Amino acid sequence: MADMLGAHAFEQAEPAGTGSASATGSAPESVAAIGAVMEIAGSSSLVLLDRAAIEELADHEDSAMATAGRVGAQIKMRVGNVWLVANIRSLKMSDIDSDRVVAQIDFLGEGDEERLTGKLYRFRRGVTRYPTPGSYVYPVSTADLNQIYAADERANVEIGTVYPTRDIRAALYVDAMLGKHFALLGSTGTGKSTATSLILHRICELAPQGHIVMIDPHGEYAAAFKTNGAIYNVDNLALPYWLMNFEEHCEVFLTGSGSSRQVDADILAKCLLMARGKNRLAQQIGKLTVDSPIPYLLSDLTNIIQLEMGKMDRAGDTAPYLRLKTKIEEVKADPRYSFMFSGMLVADTMADFLSRIFRLPSNDKPISIIDVSGVPSEITSVVVALLSRMVFDFAIWSRNEPQRPILLVCEEAHRYVPNDQSAESSSVGHTLSRIAKEGRKYGVSLGLVTQRPSDLAEGVLSQCGTIISMRLNNDRDQAYVRAAMPEGARGFLDSIPALRNRECIICGEGVATPIRVLFDTLEEDRRPASGDPLFSELWRQVGDEEAIIGRTIKRWRAQGH
């Protein structure tokens, strides 16, 4: 029945190439209809397309017109003096007429019609009036796409070209994208790290006095930002241990589980408060807590634990104190932890540390790359939690000051906010979840980069106002992203498995309407060190193997020092 109705409606429509006007959905002389509206629903509707008209346009010199009627292409229809623009989600052969194709479409938005030329201009998202069945459908030209995707006066950065055109620039609205967080997703090898670098470089060029903190778990990004970023790793991070709050102290110093862990935690809380209280800064604070970032000596903490242990009547009661003391001394003596637990880090360097890490002032190096690849795996999540919490706490406690918004970019985000029960129980998962939910109130923006969106906590991904999705090969990942994206972008989402390297789908707050983009090529010296090894070439290189093994073992044994 639906096909019969659609076929009848199309018989009444303007034949391709004639350009004749009609009362229902007329068009300028130069534009030919390629179909008619068949069925209208809220966001998704059906259109009947003429195969011959589509084939006729295949060789058109305008690349947008040449892809008319294909999946992922746009079409337009007129309602009064307004052009409605829709995206083709799927195509199937008509059951009745083999010369007709049924297209499922998603409405993207509308633009005004210029009276003299009939051209589309002043495009905006959303639809106010829907067409009626039988209205003509027309191909979208490059000139139309220019109007649809043209950036308005808002601050924006250009990152590539809009598919299927070669010259229409794709822009991200920086304030809208950062104000409501963003996520960049893509399977390994799709160009995700380079795309992240490209976007951050463009933001740095727009705002050379900005404040960006990038957590880099693989040491890839130092190569990309060596000229306009400050690079920190275990050699120069100098992260004071006393900046940890009580929850983070527990993750590092507690070894027990179950009820014994709670006993250890109570002892640590009591002794840590006493150790912090020994600093003269504590005297100036009315109410000191275990979370207060007041410097203390690790030796003071172990001495207090020793004293408290001496007050125990029975030998059995001393076990938790011994556990704690042994663990603290072990961490203090381990050279791998020296970037954080060195005796040199006890001075009150909090102001200097925040100034360096948050780029306050930026001195034309607006981004901090924090390479945590050399951090022992046991405390990597604690280090990321501490850095993330410092960003959030600084924003909260500086509310009455002139605002200095900070962008926190977290690469391999699924490691820190996994999609399981442990996400909220770990300090890093708790902190990043809180930033995702509340960060924008305080001027903290979160950028999540991951190749496994299905492993990312669902609540965190749903808080990202802009989603930039490169190719995803895994069905679960595709379904997860589809659920997080708005309804109007569904047609674009179906092309995610078919995207080429350096291509992406962008939807949400950062763009006027969902778009498919081919990223610009990034200069060699601004790319991250994340290229795939060329096995066929590298395996041809021989010689000096003994020296390679010797040097490697030396670094291995010294743990990088």
Side-chain angles (χ1 to χ4, degrees):
M1 179 67 188
D3 268 336
M4 287 173 68
L5 173 68
H8 176 70
F10 189 61
E11 296 304 329
Q12 307 300 316
E14 169 191 1
T18 65
S20 63
S22 158
T24 314
S26 61
E29 291 286 320
S30 58
V31 181
I34 58 169
V37 175
M38 174 180 168
E39 184 181 298
I40 287 290
S43 59
S44 181
S45 303
L46 295 180
V47 164
L48 203 64
L49 299 176
D50 181 0
R51 279 182 64 197
I54 293 169
E55 293 302 325
E56 203 173 301
L57 288 170
D59 297 323
H60 201 285
E61 59 187 19
D62 183 330
S63 58
M65 299 280 273
T67 59
R70 308 287 195 266
V71 170
Q74 282 79 45
I75 53 173
K76 63 182 180 179
M77 56 213 78
R78 229 180 80 176
V79 178
N81 60 350
V82 169
W83 281 113
L84 296 190
V85 178
N87 184 65
I88 297 177
R89 186 198 293 197
S90 65
L91 296 168
K92 71 169 186 174
M93 189 81 78
S94 167
D95 294 339
I96 295 171
D97 188 345
S98 61
D99 290 330
R100 303 281 185 261
V101 175
V102 179
Q104 189 177 15
I105 61 168
D106 298 304
F107 287 107
L108 298 176
E110 61 187 23
D112 296 332
E113 181 193 26
E114 207 169 57
R115 289 199 167 214
L116 292 173
T117 62
K119 287 181 181 174
L120 179 151
Y121 75 106
R122 220 166 53 191
F123 180 82
R124 60 245 171 217
R125 196 186 291 188
V127 174
T128 48
R129 284 173 63 193
Y130 286 96
T132 54
S135 299
Y136 301 146
V137 170
Y138 300 93
V140 165
S141 67
T142 297
D144 293 329
L145 290 177
N146 257 320
Q147 288 294 323
I148 293 168
Y149 297 122
D152 56 31
E153 301 76 42
R154 290 181 287 169
N156 63 79
V157 292
E158 292 184 351
I159 55 165
T161 51
V162 176
Y163 175 88
T165 69
R166 297 183 187 91
D167 53 1
I168 295 179
R169 301 295 289 154
L172 287 170
Y173 295 117
V174 175
D175 296 325
M177 180 175 88
L178 301 187
K180 294 184 179 169
H181 312 312
F182 71 93
L184 198 158
L185 319 167
S187 295
T188 303
T190 55
K192 189 171 74 282
S193 302
T194 308
T196 305
S197 296
L198 171 70
I199 292 168
L200 293 178
H201 272 302
R202 296 284 194 267
I203 292 173
C204 289
E205 286 161 15
L206 178 77
Q209 301 303 324
H211 314 286
I212 305 171
V213 179
M214 168 79 167
I215 309 284
D216 176 12
H218 300 305
E220 295 175 336
Y221 292 90
F225 294 93
K226 50 185 178 286
T227 56
N228 61 344
I231 316 298
Y232 299 102
N233 54 32
V234 289
D235 297 325
N236 65 347
L237 183 58
L239 178 62
Y241 59 87
W242 48 264
L243 285 176
M244 292 191 295
N245 64 11
F246 179 61
E247 187 182 3
E248 289 149 7
H249 270 90
C250 287
E251 285 192 34
V252 178
F253 292 146
L254 299 193
T255 53
S257 58
S259 58
S260 67
R261 188 178 179 86
Q262 188 55 53
V263 172
D264 293 3
D266 293 341
I267 294 166
L268 179 60
K270 182 182 175 184
C271 298
L272 180 58
L273 189 60
M274 290 165 73
R276 289 201 198 272
K278 288 173 89 72
N279 192 302
R280 59 182 175 77
L281 285 171
Q283 319 306 322
Q284 302 160 19
I285 296 169
K287 192 174 181 189
L288 185 70
T289 73
V290 284
D291 290 333
S292 301
I294 301 291
Y296 71 90
L297 286 165
L298 281 173
S299 54
D300 279 347
L301 181 59
T302 51
N303 289 340
I304 290 166
I305 291 171
Q306 183 74 44
L307 284 170
E308 290 297 309
M309 184 167 64
K311 296 176 185 175
M312 294 296 105
D313 298 329
R314 292 179 302 169
D317 294 338
T318 62
Y321 293 90
L322 276 171
R323 264 201 308 269
L324 259 177
K325 185 167 176 270
T326 305
K327 181 64 179 177
I328 293 167
E329 285 170 346
E330 185 186 302
V331 166
K332 191 177 166 186
D334 193 330
R336 296 176 306 147
Y337 293 79
S338 60
F339 74 96
M340 191 172 178
F341 292 96
S342 161
M344 308 297 288
L345 295 173
V346 76
D348 183 12
T349 53
M350 190 171 180
D352 172 62
F353 180 76
L354 295 182
S355 174
R356 285 190 306 131
I357 300 300
F358 299 163
R359 311 309 302 146
L360 291 162
S362 73
N363 299 320
D364 291 328
K365 290 193 170 185
I367 185 166
S368 283
I369 302 296
I370 302 175
D371 173 5
V372 295
S373 60
V375 173
S377 57
E378 310 93 81
I379 64 160
T380 304
S381 64
V382 175
V383 170
V384 176
L386 173 52
L387 292 165
S388 309
R389 186 179 52 77
M390 295 306 284
V391 171
F392 191 56
D393 284 356
F394 178 79
I396 289 176
W397 296 111
S398 64
R399 265 178 301 182
N400 299 325
E401 301 294 332
Q403 208 171 14
R404 299 286 185 269
I406 297 173
L407 165 60
L408 174 66
V409 183
C410 196
E411 175 64 273
E412 296 275 357
H414 59 276
R415 282 192 191 184
Y416 308 120
V417 262
N419 190 18
D420 57 33
Q421 294 303 313
S422 65
E424 277 289 333
S425 61
S426 71
S427 55
V428 66
H430 175 71
T431 302
L432 290 175
S433 297
R434 195 170 172 207
I435 291 174
K437 290 169 191 163
E438 306 169 35
R440 64 191 181 91
K441 299 178 198 167
Y442 304 107
V444 178
S445 177
L446 185 61
L448 301 174
V449 184
T450 178
Q451 73 259 35
R452 291 307 307 269
S454 60
D455 289 347
L456 195 64
E458 195 171 353
V460 172
L461 189 61
S462 64
Q463 296 289 337
C464 293
T466 305
I467 293 181
I468 304 165
S469 180
M470 304 184 79
R471 188 174 70 250
L472 290 166
N473 302 325
N474 186 287
D475 288 346
R476 265 184 65 223
D477 291 332
Q478 291 164 23
Y480 210 71
V481 174
R482 194 172 280 113
M485 281 194 175
E487 184 70 29
R490 295 293 166 89
F492 288 88
L493 291 177
D494 293 339
S495 61
I496 282 178
L499 291 173
R500 296 173 296 171
N501 285 0
R502 284 181 42 231
E503 269 194 336
C504 71
I505 303 294
I506 309 175
C507 74
E509 303 292 332
V511 284
T513 184
I515 49 174
R516 180 171 169 179
V517 175
L518 175 65
F519 281 115
D520 289 337
T521 303
L522 196 58
E523 300 88 339
E524 195 70 45
D525 62 336
R526 306 181 99 192
R527 290 183 197 168
S530 58
D532 296 327
L534 299 171
F535 287 80
S536 58
E537 285 183 24
L538 294 172
W539 279 352
R540 289 197 194 107
Q541 298 172 14
V542 293
D544 207 29
E545 278 82 5
E546 285 182 18
I548 291 171
I549 292 173
R551 289 193 297 269
T552 303
I553 290 172
K554 192 175 178 183
R555 279 194 300 273
W556 196 340
R557 285 176 173 156
Q559 295 290 298
H561 292 282

